[in-house]
Amino acid sequence: MVATEPTVYRVIGTRPVRPDGVDKVTGRAEYGADVAPAGVLFGRVKRSPHAHARIRRIDTSRALALDGVKAVVTHADFPTVEDAVADIGETTSNFRWVLDNVLASTKALYYGHAVAAVCATDLHIAEDALELIEVEYEVLPPALNVHDAMADGAPLLHEQLRTAEMLSRFVPGPDRSEHPSNVASHLRLERGNVDEGFAEADVIVEGEFETAMTHQGYIEPQNGTAFWNRDDDLTVWVSTQGPFSVREQLSKILRLPLSKVRVVPTEIGGGFGGKLPVYMEPVAAIMSRMTGRPVKMIMSRTEVFTSTGPTSATYVRAKIGAKRDGTLVAAEAYLAYEAGAYPGSPAGAGAMCMFGSYDIPHQAVDAYDVVTNKPKVQAYRAPGSPQATFATESLLDELAERLAMDGMELRLKNVAREGTRRTDGAPFGAIGAEEVMLAARDSPHYRSELAGEHTGRGVSMGFWFNAGLESSAYASTNGDGTVSLVVGSVDIGGQRAALAMQFAEAMGLPYEAIKPQVVDTDSIGFTGVTGGSRTTFATGWAVYEAAMDLRSRLEERAARIWSVDRDAVDYGADGIVRGPDGKQLTFAALCARLASTGGMLQGHADVSPTTVGPAFGCHVVDVAVDPETGKVEILRYTAVQDVGRAIHPAYVEGQIQGGVAQGIGMALNEGYVYDADGRLVNASFLDYRMPTALDLPNLECVLVEVPNPGHPYGVRGVGEVPIVPPLAAVANAIHDAIGVRVRRLPASPTELLRESLGE
Amino acid sequence: MVATEPTVYRVIGTRPVRPDGVDKVTGRAEYGADVAPAGVLFGRVKRSPHAHARIRRIDTSRALALDGVKAVVTHADFPTVEDAVADIGETTSNFRWVLDNVLASTKALYYGHAVAAVCATDLHIAEDALELIEVEYEVLPPALNVHDAMADGAPLLHEQLRTAEMLSRFVPGPDRSEHPSNVASHLRLERGNVDEGFAEADVIVEGEFETAMTHQGYIEPQNGTAFWNRDDDLTVWVSTQGPFSVREQLSKILRLPLSKVRVVPTEIGGGFGGKLPVYMEPVAAIMSRMTGRPVKMIMSRTEVFTSTGPTSATYVRAKIGAKRDGTLVAAEAYLAYEAGAYPGSPAGAGAMCMFGSYDIPHQAVDAYDVVTNKPKVQAYRAPGSPQATFATESLLDELAERLAMDGMELRLKNVAREGTRRTDGAPFGAIGAEEVMLAARDSPHYRSELAGEHTGRGVSMGFWFNAGLESSAYASTNGDGTVSLVVGSVDIGGQRAALAMQFAEAMGLPYEAIKPQVVDTDSIGFTGVTGGSRTTFATGWAVYEAAMDLRSRLEERAARIWSVDRDAVDYGADGIVRGPDGKQLTFAALCARLASTGGMLQGHADVSPTTVGPAFGCHVVDVAVDPETGKVEILRYTAVQDVGRAIHPAYVEGQIQGGVAQGIGMALNEGYVYDADGRLVNASFLDYRMPTALDLPNLECVLVEVPNPGHPYGVRGVGEVPIVPPLAAVANAIHDAIGVRVRRLPASPTELLRESLGE
């Protein structure tokens, strides 16, 4: 670890065992599939075999007549949902569209779009019943990529959709296009004068880049079990990154007060952004209301691929201009991101991130959100940034070549620092972009010699702004000096440990004294999603503030016990409360006296941080390309990242390694393949090829710690930025190895062979 | 309702539907028997067939060899427990004794005492395995009542037990008897000079009274399911009145930190004090540790009778002296209460309560706690008071007769008022003893004429001091103006409703906006047992304070939104926040703005009230006695009670009716019957006869409201005092009907015939 500021912590920076570890390795942890309330019914979904079709008629009578079938639902069984928009995590959604995606209303908009659902006493009966639901379609021509969708005369997905001119990433302005369009919105970010900028440039590089639609590939399929009680109390057990977000979506879609919806988050087998929206939960809820019994639904792997939210396939055109000495003067880009069937791609985030690592005086980015006849995209780890950054970092590689400069030196020369303005004009605070570049340059990997034929080295930066959002925490003392800590952030990457550690640090207690627990939406204050790299940061802050609240109450109690002035008592960082005249009590000793002096004490806090800590990574990769087959082998990979402060370094490294692996998948292997009619033809882990442990070397991590001044422990989000650099890093390494500039990902053997043959 | 102080509430005093109502009437509520974790094993307990026997040897080998049996345990499998004493609810327990009761160590001390346990893959296998556990006993003579147990040369239950002289109800003094004894302790309460008092008396009445051992008779048998994880995290699902008490007992018995024990309270089918101690929970936990699987145990009805804690059989000798005008001058009593197999009867509480309704200048009560070879007694609704009060109120009836005064007038003349000193010397605060007497005297029932042969009317007062103890609450706002309210008090008698109502009142919100939830011991601050008539009082106070905390935070936020001084903002009782210049926001409108102005808000509180509100009841009963059979029929029953403030009057009435029914059972029907060897012979609801709805008329309630000044809403505990008066009221009515003074309860037909024949 490269620490820029020496701070001594007792708990932070250690690597204790996670509280949920034993449960998970022994198979005891409760996942959604384990939920089995008495009298449960099993639900299945009937899905569209067409990419674009008008639904003329749905006849459910034969299915309903099947013995064991308890209910069949279509869109018509749902209440009318208001056209309200809410931020449900990293993306903003319109609840009417959310419901339309849950069960299609007038049109099926993608292959696998849900059109009806059934529940039965047995899963197999439910499967059989699907065959008995008759749907009459009028098949329409699909728009399967941004080019087709934006073309004149393109088939329109939504007859009423007008292009919105966005004021910012989530705020549409008053201007709308005159005619309906598949372009849901256009956002322009601008800084300086880009035309003047390019006029100053001595060298200009430009290019077109494309990336495929890729899936998060979490191990656990989506699932949800709902029980709608006769008094309209709805309980939903679900694998989700955001129980409060699920609660809000259900409340809006089902028209229930928030307090009537209780969402119980089960353990979660991965999400990466894909487990923010609802799919089957509202359907299970409605079928539970119809039947008076709990209804459980689990997706198959095929359904996960066809019908949940992958990330956008993208088309990016970019141009960068520099002075002869390597000073960047202008950058411009055009981004068209597929949203899938409903508006809401991460094009805006791509626009915000793509030039974020650098200080470029003149910039302009136009980002287009384009609906296509594919599943509605959802957040996927730093959503939007990898695709746009692929363009930036490929072009910088080319620019360095053109200027005969070392790529790392070119980047260092232009690196963003505190005060540098981002593409959207906002200035950076304390950031570690330069520190990660320097650490990458000085790393054993970058200093090593690369040997062998058809081998190459690539470098790329990556930037992600990270999220804040609200978090709550509640802590209760126990008489024996232990503490029960309650949070609402579901634990995906070791949050229980990372939160207990920050609480222990704040209280001056050993990690083992803290028992963290993730509870349902009725049992803790509002807490945003586990996503946006925000949990260790924001919920960590909440547990810190809860500790401060508790410390203050403990000081007050000690003062009362000692009959001294409250201000004369101080709770120390070592967990000892000190008063005047050498009076002192350890936390445990004070806890033992609480019951008899007025009762046990608790602390609580709610935070909504506005000072998030942006994160930067610099990756170095060595590859070998087999010229016969086009297969790319990753020889060595080093990810350097500014993590602010690594609370639990092992879990930080795990996040980085996971992000890198997914980025390499995007670079080399992964991509949705559709036939001409818009049917997904590789909807299985066999055909949709993610890198496995066998495909990759050990992924080396270098943690740089430039503490985030906007957090009590300097934490920055760490989970997302590592997926950003691999696309360009690998592409640049391939170019270094065989001289081919890959512009279209994944750089599969087929693609590489085609490129190297000049096709 | 008779209200002594007009206060206008919006929610308090209404009768809304309880939040758990639908769940309970539709069979959806989760009771302990419904808990079914994956891989669960079923445990059963082998019990002693002897009332007193030394355990020479236990051979578990044959049981262990049975196919399907996974573990067999005896006392030897438990860690050694410290001899620590703790208050676990209404009674104080020694953890070594608790464990010895859970599984006998060297001796079996009562018929049904657990000596070993087994768990197996199937309940029937576990049952079969019990037969294969061989226990070699040396049978000892039993002591089956206080007379036998206190006699010279009585068989000693505990060879080391020395009589402790108590300083107060729970605090033993330094003095101990020289020789071992079955008398665990002696408490003397004294006020004035009782000899001088009796010397002043013109009339003295005295008598000996006996009551039988009776059981709470809750519908749901004890149960518990435990899972001991490999990391020593123990989770226990249990039907209990005190999840935190179960946690403490398990922590001590199993030598685990409190934070390693999570107790999940399931719904509870009645407790009345009997569901405070642990029985099978530690056994299930140890067997889970041995097997690595969850272990579930449920008692049969027979086990509930033989092996859980009923209330003491008692022997009371009492004497009351009065002036000729009816002024009480002296009272004296000797109380010997059976503790069952281990120390801890409610004799001390009986001593504190028996003269509590009256102002008597000279008093002395000696209370003896006596171990006998019967199940260890436990709390049962106003534990100890009904039995001792039976003596007091019978003697007062006799005194009125001797003085030729109306019984009610005699009582009114001597009634305890604010400032009257209790038997233990403490002065009463604001109490409603006089108000309930007056309301009883003025009631339609008491003013009615009693007609018919062999009919009679009886009256009795009853007093219970009520408990305080700690409670916590945590409340979270939702964006739509609803609130999630979290408490740790299990809901037996409508607590969810009564707590949500107090919170709604405090916030100026409708009841429907509050969603109350009872959570496990990891998820809320320490909260004492649901018992001691404390929950609506103390947890109600906690939710009130949590509301005040939340109101203060809401004021602060509104001030920030309006950019005005925080002190200029006031949250009104109508749920509207007002600032300067006519600025105002309803709670819901403010909630809708919280997320965008710094986040949702919560409030929390922990209270440990010291100002509990004593409760008094005055009951009037008419009976008819069949002279041929001795059967007593309850013709009419009116219970007048000072409830302080009835939060939910229907539930208050339910508590009163339930207490009266149980008291009538004690008076007329119920009692443990042992054979000469100490075997319980009526361990079923068929042979142990509790009154049913068919046995009783509608029980009329008159709620008197003398607000408790020590509570924000004037609440007094209401659940216990109604069981106190029925014993003497019914006995007095029988005397009025047929002239027989019943001194031994239950006044069964057999007993009555014997008494009326002068046997």
Side-chain angles (χ1 to χ4, degrees):
Chain A
M1 259 187 283
V2 183
T4 56
E5 187 191 274
T7 309
V8 179
Y9 291 117
R10 295 168 316 93
V11 181
I12 288 174
T14 64
R15 300 174 181 231
V17 169
R18 58 200 287 169
D20 48 319
V22 167
D23 264 0
K24 285 177 177 167
V25 297
T26 60
R28 271 280 156 199
E30 267 227 338
Y31 287 86
D34 301 316
V35 174
V40 71
L41 299 174
F42 299 88
R44 292 294 289 154
V45 173
K46 184 163 183 86
R47 299 185 180 279
S48 168
H50 306 294
H52 196 188
R54 196 170 306 284
I55 300 169
R56 290 208 173 283
R57 188 180 61 89
I58 303 180
D59 184 346
T60 61
S61 56
R62 286 181 58 213
L64 266 172
L66 185 66
D67 199 37
V69 168
K70 296 296 178 185
V72 183
V73 287
T74 68
H75 189 97
D77 293 298
F78 280 80
T80 307
V81 169
E82 292 162 68
D83 210 11
V85 171
D87 186 344
I88 58 165
E90 295 190 6
T91 176
T92 299
S93 271
N94 172 312
F95 292 117
R96 196 169 50 78
W97 286 331
V98 171
L99 174 56
D100 213 59
N101 193 27
V102 161
L103 274 181
S105 54
T106 55
K107 294 210 293 186
L109 291 170
Y110 56 96
Y111 174 76
H113 194 170
V115 293
V118 57
C119 67
T121 51
D122 181 279
L123 190 58
H124 304 292
I125 296 174
E127 292 269 4
D128 290 347
L130 292 185
E131 304 299 314
L132 301 176
I133 299 172
E134 293 163 23
V135 188
E136 191 185 316
Y137 293 102
E138 174 194 350
V139 179
L140 303 170
L144 294 172
N145 57 54
V146 292
H147 307 296
D148 292 352
M150 295 170 91
D152 284 344
L156 286 176
L157 275 77
H158 305 279
E159 281 80 359
Q160 304 306 319
L161 188 66
R162 300 274 195 288
T163 308
E165 287 297 324
M166 302 297 283
L167 300 178
S168 71
R169 197 150 65 97
F170 294 134
V171 183
D175 294 342
R176 298 256 169 190
S177 64
E178 199 176 325
H179 299 291
S181 165
N182 288 325
V183 179
S185 68
H186 165 236
L187 170 71
R188 181 174 172 85
L189 299 181
E190 208 168 0
R191 199 196 139 198
N193 183 317
V194 80
D195 292 332
E196 284 177 23
F198 278 110
E200 291 171 22
D202 298 315
V203 188
I204 293 174
V205 286
E206 58 189 312
E208 291 177 282
F209 300 83
E210 287 186 39
T211 66
M213 182 166 264
T214 56
H215 196 272
Q216 300 86 353
Y218 34 79
I219 286 180
E220 183 206 23
Q222 260 85 353
N223 57 70
T225 303
F227 177 62
W228 191 306
N229 211 352
R230 301 291 166 90
D231 55 5
D232 291 337
D233 267 351
L234 172 64
T235 303
V236 176
W237 296 263
V238 59
S239 170
T240 179
Q241 295 176 243
F244 282 89
S245 158
V246 170
R247 182 177 74 153
E248 184 177 5
Q249 293 175 73
L250 291 174
S251 158
K252 284 292 193 312
I253 290 177
L254 302 169
R255 290 183 164 273
L256 286 172
L258 286 167
S259 63
K260 296 298 263 184
V261 184
R262 176 170 163 240
V263 177
V264 185
T266 55
E267 296 292 342
I268 174 169
F272 311 107
K275 287 196 184 142
L276 296 170
V278 294
Y279 293 104
M280 301 164 301
E281 298 91 326
V283 180
I286 287 281
M287 293 199 294
S288 176
R289 194 185 64 184
M290 287 173 160
T291 59
R293 291 168 66 172
V295 176
K296 179 173 180 171
M297 301 181 79
I298 305 182
M299 282 195 189
S300 68
R301 177 62 57 189
T302 297
E303 287 178 294
V304 170
F305 275 112
T306 60
S307 310
T308 68
T311 192
S312 306
T314 67
Y315 167 78
V316 174
R317 205 165 56 226
K319 188 165 125 182
I320 299 178
K323 296 273 194 192
R324 209 168 310 277
D325 69 352
T327 306
L328 301 180
V329 287
E332 190 175 46
Y334 168 101
L335 276 52
Y337 276 41
E338 288 186 23
Y342 302 93
S345 76
M352 280 178 69
C353 289
M354 69 184 297
F355 299 128
S357 298
Y358 305 103
D359 186 4
I360 309 176
H362 304 287
Q363 300 182 33
V365 185
D366 289 282
Y368 294 87
D369 182 38
V370 185
V371 294
T372 55
N373 290 110
K374 290 185 182 172
K376 164 75 177 77
V377 305
Q378 299 293 349
Y380 178 12
R381 210 166 196 151
S385 182
Q387 296 84 351
T389 303
F390 169 47
T392 309
E393 294 286 331
S394 293
L395 290 177
L396 287 180
D397 204 60
E398 195 174 333
L399 185 64
E401 197 182 16
R402 293 268 297 276
L403 294 168
M405 278 180 83
D406 173 74
M408 193 72 90
E409 293 307 321
L410 173 68
R411 288 176 172 87
L412 265 169
K413 188 178 182 70
N414 295 286
V415 69
R417 295 189 177 84
E418 184 164 355
T420 297
R421 291 194 178 270
R422 313 187 307 190
T423 308
D424 64 359
F428 279 119
I431 54 171
E434 184 172 18
E435 285 81 353
V436 299
M437 279 188 201
L438 291 171
R441 189 192 61 184
D442 299 341
S443 69
H445 182 173
Y446 195 75
R447 296 160 68 114
S448 69
E449 286 296 320
L450 181 63
E453 244 191 321
H454 306 307
T455 62
R457 176 167 294 167
V459 165
S460 174
M461 280 294 287
F463 159 56
W464 181 248
F465 41 82
N466 290 328
L469 305 182
E470 276 183 71
S471 283
S472 300
Y474 175 73
S476 304
T477 54
N478 297 318
D480 63 358
T482 59
V483 179
S484 303
L485 177 63
V486 180
V487 295
S489 289
V490 298
D491 186 349
I492 307 183
Q495 275 78 23
R496 287 183 184 88
L499 298 174
M501 290 172 76
Q502 291 182 75
F503 187 82
E505 190 72 55
M507 293 299 297
L509 296 176
Y511 169 75
E512 294 70 25
I514 316 303
K515 171 108 167 266
Q517 202 192 193
V518 182
V519 297
D520 64 56
T521 53
D522 275 5
S523 307
I524 184 71
F526 184 85
T527 297
V529 301
T530 295
S533 303
R534 62 171 293 280
T535 308
T536 303
F537 167 74
T539 311
W541 197 336
V543 305
Y544 173 87
E545 294 295 345
M548 293 303 124
D549 183 31
L550 181 57
R551 280 170 59 152
S552 162
R553 290 164 197 268
L554 288 165
E555 286 171 347
E556 200 177 303
R557 182 65 59 84
R560 208 188 309 163
I561 290 173
W562 289 327
S563 299
V564 301
D565 193 57
R566 194 239 167 284
D567 293 334
V569 178
D570 184 58
Y571 189 108
D574 53 1
I576 295 174
V577 195
R578 293 180 178 81
D581 309 325
K583 288 185 175 67
Q584 64 175 49
L585 280 170
T586 64
F587 173 79
L590 181 50
C591 280
R593 297 183 63 177
L594 291 179
S596 60
T597 57
M600 302 306 299
L601 292 171
Q602 298 89 41
H604 91 259
D606 178 270
V607 300
S608 186
T610 49
T611 53
V612 296
F616 294 85
C618 185
H619 293 198
V620 183
V621 59
D622 296 348
V623 303
V625 184
D626 184 330
E628 301 293 318
T629 63
K631 182 177 187 298
V632 177
E633 189 186 353
I634 306 289
L635 298 174
R636 187 172 182 180
Y637 202 107
T638 299
V640 182
Q641 186 171 321
D642 171 20
V643 300
R645 176 78 65 205
I647 299 297
H648 193 304
Y651 298 162
V652 171
E653 289 159 6
Q655 286 291 326
I656 293 174
Q657 291 168 327
V660 169
Q662 289 181 317
I664 292 173
M666 287 183 173
L668 291 178
N669 309 98
E670 300 179 37
Y672 272 33
V673 180
Y674 282 89
D675 69 13
D677 295 327
R679 293 192 182 86
L680 183 61
V681 296
N682 62 337
S684 79
F685 273 146
L686 202 63
D687 297 316
Y688 180 93
R689 183 69 166 82
M690 302 188 77
T692 69
L694 292 177
D695 296 310
L696 300 174
N698 179 43
L699 303 170
E700 298 166 45
C701 300
V702 178
L703 309 187
V704 174
E705 296 194 321
V706 179
N708 171 11
H711 185 277
Y713 292 123
V715 171
R716 295 176 192 275
V718 301
E720 288 174 290
V721 79
I723 202 176
V724 180
L727 286 66
V730 169
N732 292 341
I734 290 171
H735 176 260
D736 190 37
I738 59 168
V740 170
R741 283 260 167 236
V742 177
R743 303 291 198 196
R744 187 162 54 199
L745 298 182
S748 63
T750 322
E751 182 74 15
L752 265 197
L753 283 181
R754 188 168 54 188
E755 288 277 352
S756 59
L757 294 174
E759 284 176 9
Chain B
M1 260 189 281
V2 183
T4 57
E5 187 190 275
T7 309
V8 178
Y9 291 116
R10 294 170 314 95
V11 181
I12 288 174
T14 63
R15 299 173 182 233
V17 169
R18 57 199 289 168
D20 47 319
V22 167
D23 265 358
K24 284 177 176 166
V25 298
T26 59
R28 271 281 157 198
E30 265 228 338
Y31 287 87
D34 301 316
V35 174
V40 70
L41 299 173
F42 299 88
R44 292 293 291 154
V45 173
K46 183 162 184 87
R47 301 186 177 278
S48 169
H50 307 294
H52 197 188
R54 198 170 304 282
I55 301 168
R56 290 207 173 282
R57 190 181 60 88
I58 304 180
D59 184 346
T60 61
S61 55
R62 285 181 59 216
L64 266 172
L66 185 66
D67 199 37
V69 168
K70 296 296 179 186
V72 183
V73 287
T74 68
H75 188 96
D77 293 298
F78 281 80
T80 307
V81 169
E82 290 163 69
D83 210 10
V85 171
D87 187 344
I88 58 164
E90 295 190 7
T91 176
T92 300
S93 272
N94 172 313
F95 291 116
R96 196 169 49 79
W97 286 331
V98 170
L99 175 56
D100 214 59
N101 194 26
V102 162
L103 274 181
S105 54
T106 56
K107 294 210 295 186
L109 291 170
Y110 56 96
Y111 175 77
H113 194 168
V115 293
V118 58
C119 66
T121 50
D122 180 277
L123 190 59
H124 305 290
I125 296 174
E127 292 270 5
D128 290 348
L130 292 184
E131 303 299 313
L132 301 177
I133 299 172
E134 294 164 20
V135 187
E136 193 183 313
Y137 293 103
E138 174 192 351
V139 178
L140 303 170
L144 294 170
N145 56 54
V146 293
H147 307 298
D148 292 351
M150 295 171 91
D152 285 343
L156 286 175
L157 274 78
H158 304 278
E159 282 80 0
Q160 304 306 319
L161 189 65
R162 300 277 197 284
T163 309
E165 288 296 325
M166 302 297 283
L167 300 177
S168 73
R169 200 151 62 99
F170 294 133
V171 183
D175 293 344
R176 298 258 168 186
S177 66
E178 200 174 325
H179 299 291
S181 166
N182 289 326
V183 180
S185 69
H186 166 236
L187 169 71
R188 182 174 172 88
L189 299 180
E190 208 169 358
R191 199 195 138 196
N193 183 316
V194 80
D195 292 333
E196 284 177 23
F198 278 111
E200 291 171 23
D202 298 316
V203 188
I204 293 175
V205 287
E206 58 189 313
E208 291 178 281
F209 300 83
E210 286 185 40
T211 64
M213 182 167 263
T214 56
H215 197 273
Q216 300 86 352
Y218 36 78
I219 286 180
E220 182 205 25
Q222 260 85 355
N223 56 70
T225 303
F227 177 61
W228 191 306
N229 210 353
R230 301 291 166 91
D231 56 4
D232 291 337
D233 267 352
L234 173 64
T235 303
V236 176
W237 297 262
V238 59
S239 169
T240 179
Q241 296 176 242
F244 282 89
S245 159
V246 170
R247 182 178 74 153
E248 183 176 6
Q249 293 175 73
L250 291 174
S251 158
K252 284 292 193 313
I253 290 176
L254 302 169
R255 290 182 164 274
L256 286 172
L258 287 167
S259 63
K260 295 298 263 184
V261 184
R262 175 169 163 239
V263 177
V264 185
T266 54
E267 295 293 343
I268 174 169
F272 312 107
K275 287 195 184 143
L276 297 171
V278 295
Y279 292 104
M280 302 164 300
E281 298 91 324
V283 180
I286 287 280
M287 293 199 293
S288 175
R289 195 185 62 183
M290 288 172 160
T291 59
R293 290 169 63 172
V295 176
K296 179 173 181 172
M297 301 181 79
I298 305 182
M299 283 196 187
S300 68
R301 178 61 58 188
T302 297
E303 287 178 295
V304 171
F305 275 113
T306 61
S307 311
T308 68
T311 192
S312 306
T314 67
Y315 167 78
V316 175
R317 207 165 54 225
K319 189 166 125 180
I320 299 178
K323 294 274 195 192
R324 208 169 310 276
D325 69 352
T327 307
L328 301 180
V329 286
E332 190 175 47
Y334 168 101
L335 277 54
Y337 277 41
E338 289 185 24
Y342 301 93
S345 76
M352 280 178 68
C353 287
M354 68 185 297
F355 300 127
S357 298
Y358 306 103
D359 185 3
I360 310 177
H362 304 288
Q363 298 181 33
V365 185
D366 289 284
Y368 294 88
D369 181 37
V370 186
V371 293
T372 55
N373 290 110
K374 290 184 182 172
K376 165 73 178 81
V377 306
Q378 298 295 349
Y380 177 13
R381 210 166 196 153
S385 183
Q387 297 85 350
T389 303
F390 168 47
T392 310
E393 294 286 330
S394 293
L395 290 177
L396 286 180
D397 204 60
E398 197 173 332
L399 185 63
E401 196 181 17
R402 293 269 295 278
L403 293 169
M405 279 181 79
D406 174 73
M408 194 71 92
E409 293 307 322
L410 173 66
R411 288 174 172 86
L412 266 168
K413 190 177 180 70
N414 294 285
V415 70
R417 294 189 178 85
E418 185 163 356
T420 297
R421 289 195 179 271
R422 313 188 308 189
T423 310
D424 64 359
F428 279 118
I431 54 171
E434 184 171 17
E435 285 80 354
V436 298
M437 280 188 199
L438 291 170
R441 189 192 63 186
D442 298 341
S443 68
H445 182 173
Y446 195 76
R447 295 159 70 112
S448 69
E449 285 296 320
L450 181 63
E453 240 189 324
H454 306 307
T455 61
R457 176 168 294 168
V459 165
S460 173
M461 280 293 287
F463 159 57
W464 183 249
F465 42 82
N466 290 330
L469 305 182
E470 276 182 72
S471 284
S472 300
Y474 175 73
S476 304
T477 53
N478 297 320
D480 63 358
T482 59
V483 180
S484 302
L485 177 63
V486 179
V487 295
S489 289
V490 297
D491 185 349
I492 307 183
Q495 275 78 24
R496 287 183 183 87
L499 298 174
M501 290 172 75
Q502 291 181 74
F503 187 84
E505 189 72 53
M507 293 298 299
L509 296 175
Y511 170 75
E512 293 70 24
I514 315 302
K515 171 107 168 269
Q517 201 192 193
V518 182
V519 296
D520 64 57
T521 53
D522 275 4
S523 307
I524 184 72
F526 184 85
T527 296
V529 301
T530 294
S533 302
R534 62 170 292 279
T535 308
T536 304
F537 167 73
T539 311
W541 198 336
V543 305
Y544 173 85
E545 294 294 345
M548 293 304 124
D549 183 30
L550 181 57
R551 281 169 58 153
S552 162
R553 290 165 197 269
L554 288 165
E555 287 170 348
E556 202 176 303
R557 182 65 60 84
R560 209 189 307 164
I561 290 172
W562 290 326
S563 300
V564 301
D565 193 57
R566 193 236 165 288
D567 294 335
V569 177
D570 185 57
Y571 189 109
D574 53 1
I576 295 174
V577 195
R578 292 181 178 81
D581 308 325
K583 290 186 174 65
Q584 63 175 49
L585 280 169
T586 63
F587 173 79
L590 182 51
C591 280
R593 296 183 61 177
L594 290 179
S596 59
T597 57
M600 302 306 298
L601 291 171
Q602 299 89 43
H604 92 259
D606 177 88
V607 300
S608 186
T610 50
T611 53
V612 296
F616 294 86
C618 186
H619 292 197
V620 183
V621 60
D622 297 348
V623 303
V625 184
D626 183 330
E628 299 294 318
T629 62
K631 182 178 188 297
V632 176
E633 189 188 352
I634 306 289
L635 299 174
R636 186 171 183 181
Y637 202 107
T638 300
V640 183
Q641 186 172 323
D642 171 21
V643 298
R645 177 78 63 203
I647 300 297
H648 192 302
Y651 299 160
V652 171
E653 290 158 7
Q655 286 291 327
I656 293 174
Q657 291 167 327
V660 169
Q662 289 180 317
I664 291 172
M666 286 183 173
L668 292 178
N669 308 97
E670 300 179 37
Y672 272 34
V673 179
Y674 282 88
D675 70 14
D677 294 327
R679 293 192 182 85
L680 183 62
V681 297
N682 62 338
S684 79
F685 273 146
L686 202 63
D687 297 316
Y688 180 94
R689 183 68 165 82
M690 301 187 77
T692 68
L694 291 177
D695 296 311
L696 300 175
N698 179 42
L699 302 170
E700 299 166 44
C701 299
V702 179
L703 308 187
V704 175
E705 295 193 324
V706 180
N708 171 11
H711 185 276
Y713 293 123
V715 170
R716 294 175 194 276
V718 302
E720 289 173 290
V721 79
I723 201 176
V724 180
L727 286 67
V730 169
N732 292 340
I734 291 171
H735 176 259
D736 190 38
I738 60 169
V740 170
R741 283 263 166 232
V742 177
R743 303 291 201 198
R744 189 163 51 201
L745 298 182
S748 62
T750 322
E751 183 74 15
L752 265 197
L753 283 181
R754 188 167 55 187
E755 288 276 352
S756 61
L757 294 173
E759 282 178 10

